[in-house]
Amino acid sequence: MAIAKPADSYRHQGLRKLLVQNIRAKGISDVQVLAALETVPRHFFFDSSFLEYAYEDKPFPIGAGQTISQPYTVAFQTELLQIRRNDKVLEIGTGSGYQACILAELGAKVFSVERQKTLFDRTSKFLPVVGYPSIKTFFGDGYKGLPAYAPFDKMIVTAAAPYVPDALLDQLKPGGILVIPVGANEVQIMTTFTKNPDNTFAKKEYGAFRFVPMLEDKAKEL
Ligand code: SAH
């Protein structure tokens, strides 16, 4: 059965403007990131019974025990990535596909990996329907990165990483940036690793966030 594209409306656009004002007030200043959040209809990524939650600045369950990240967190991670048009970006944790669309909206070439088969299937079919056919999705284990498509200009991990996978660091270009929430417990520290020309890394930390765990066993048919 073909999937229909959900409808956008003036009411939803108005709610998006308010959400963006709210996120700006919380400290996000990159105008392109804010514009991308205003453009991508977050309610497309919600079941129709929950549409009214789409423009609150909160995470929300998307099925299979996973969540769509809080809009502020999406904006924060995206700002740290400093996306330039045509950057090759690897996302770990496709989930609903919302973050991937924000990156595509900024002109990135997005490669996104998801380990849950149900989410992978659903989101892979959905992204072309909502106007993002260029996003490439992969069913696999994000701890391994995506060696066949490496190296990447930027990488974003959208699940809680108990440690920083070596494969990701290896697959980053010199000058590239990895944005990753690191921590095995309830709270993770948002961290960036920027690769120096001599393949060493500059690490910076940005405070506490909460993510669903990045699971380590092999990709599963869940
Ligand atoms: N970026 C998503 C939010 C995803 S929540 C969005 O915009 O909606 C985190 C996602 O990471 C979940 O979908 C989860 O299944 C996935 N995940 C967890 N461990 C993973 C792993 N090892 N490799 C790839 N994806 C993983």
Side-chain angles (χ1 to χ4, degrees), residues 166-185:
D166 283 340
L168 298 186
L169 295 171
D170 289 346
Q171 292 169 32
L172 198 59
K173 282 186 196 172
I177 304 172
L178 164 65
V179 176
I180 182 167
V182 187
N185 301 318

Side-chain angles (χ1 to χ4, degrees), residues 51-107:
L51 283 185
E52 70 266 36
Y53 298 104
Y55 295 107
E56 291 183 11
D57 189 21
K58 289 183 182 158
F60 200 81
I62 52 173
Q66 301 307 322
T67 58
I68 179 170
S69 303
Q70 181 177 347
Y72 173 75
T73 305
V74 171
F76 194 89
Q77 287 195 283
T78 307
E79 190 167 61
L80 289 176
L81 282 173
Q82 301 173 35
I83 298 292
R84 296 205 199 117
R85 200 146 275 283
N86 292 322
D87 269 355
K88 211 168 133 187
V89 181
L90 175 65
E91 177 189 33
I92 305 303
T94 314
S96 70
Y98 176 70
Q99 170 77 69
C101 292
I102 296 289
L103 297 169
E105 202 51 59
L106 290 164

Side-chain angles (χ1 to χ4, degrees), residues 62-68 90-98 100 111-124 127 135-143 145-146 156-159 212-215 217-222:
I62 52 173
Q66 301 307 322
T67 58
I68 179 170
L90 175 65
E91 177 189 33
I92 305 303
T94 314
S96 70
Y98 176 70
F111 298 73
S112 187
V113 180
E114 172 57 54
R115 73 176 282 286
Q116 290 218 22
K117 188 73 166 67
T118 39
L119 275 176
F120 165 77
D121 286 341
R122 195 169 83 195
T123 302
S124 305
L127 289 173
I135 297 172
K136 294 188 173 53
T137 53
F138 301 84
F139 174 53
D141 178 7
Y143 280 92
L146 206 53
I156 173 172
V157 177
T158 67
V212 295
M214 184 174 175
L215 300 170
D217 49 349
K218 65 182 190 322
K220 275 190 183 156
E221 306 264 340
L222 292 174

